[in-house]
Amino acid sequence: MQLFGLKACDTCRKALKQLPEAELVDVRADGVPEAILTAALAQFGDRLVNTRSTTWRGLSEAERAGEPLDLLKAHPALMKRPLIKSGDDLHLGWDAKTKAALGVEG
């Protein structure tokens, strides 16, 4: 299981604590493999881009209008976190639905 996120992200740390078998992939340092990014974009669409982040607020209108895949490649911290790859399944965020799908209580 891989958890794509940021070391400093509180939500990612909470998820890691409850998923001890997960490996953290820091998206700023290591990026997200294009195949996973493409699959996540196909599955989650615009929800994959975190439009409430400080990174998003720092972008110009022209940059915001760009293709989501290009934006996420150029600014990995724009991705909503965490993105969890468990086998062939992808999960976005750390909410009750994701926890239930991964068999985590709470």
Side-chain angles (χ1 to χ4, degrees):
M1 181 181 300
Q2 291 179 303
L3 188 149
F4 297 91
L6 298 172
K7 289 178 189 172
C9 173
D10 287 340
T11 306
C12 293
R13 285 199 294 244
K14 287 176 191 172
L16 272 175
K17 191 174 185 180
Q18 291 188 284
L19 298 169
E21 72 280 8
E23 165 201 356
L24 174 67
V25 177
D26 190 310
V27 297
R28 274 202 184 114
D30 306 318
V32 180
E34 188 164 351
I36 292 174
L37 203 52
T38 303
L41 199 54
Q43 183 174 339
F44 303 113
D46 291 342
R47 289 187 356 204
L48 190 61
V49 178
N50 183 0
T51 57
R52 296 188 308 178
S53 71
T54 54
T55 304
W56 177 262
R57 289 191 294 262
L59 296 176
S60 69
E61 286 299 320
E63 288 174 307
R64 290 179 185 181
E67 286 296 315
L69 186 61
D70 295 334
L71 273 173
L72 292 168
K73 283 184 194 174
H75 307 281
L78 266 180
M79 185 181 75
K80 182 168 172 61
R81 302 176 299 269
L83 175 63
I84 302 168
K85 182 178 186 311
S86 176
D88 291 333
D89 296 329
L90 291 173
H91 306 279
L92 186 63
W94 189 242
D95 55 15
K97 182 180 172 188
T98 299
K99 290 176 188 178
L102 295 172
V104 174
E105 304 243 342

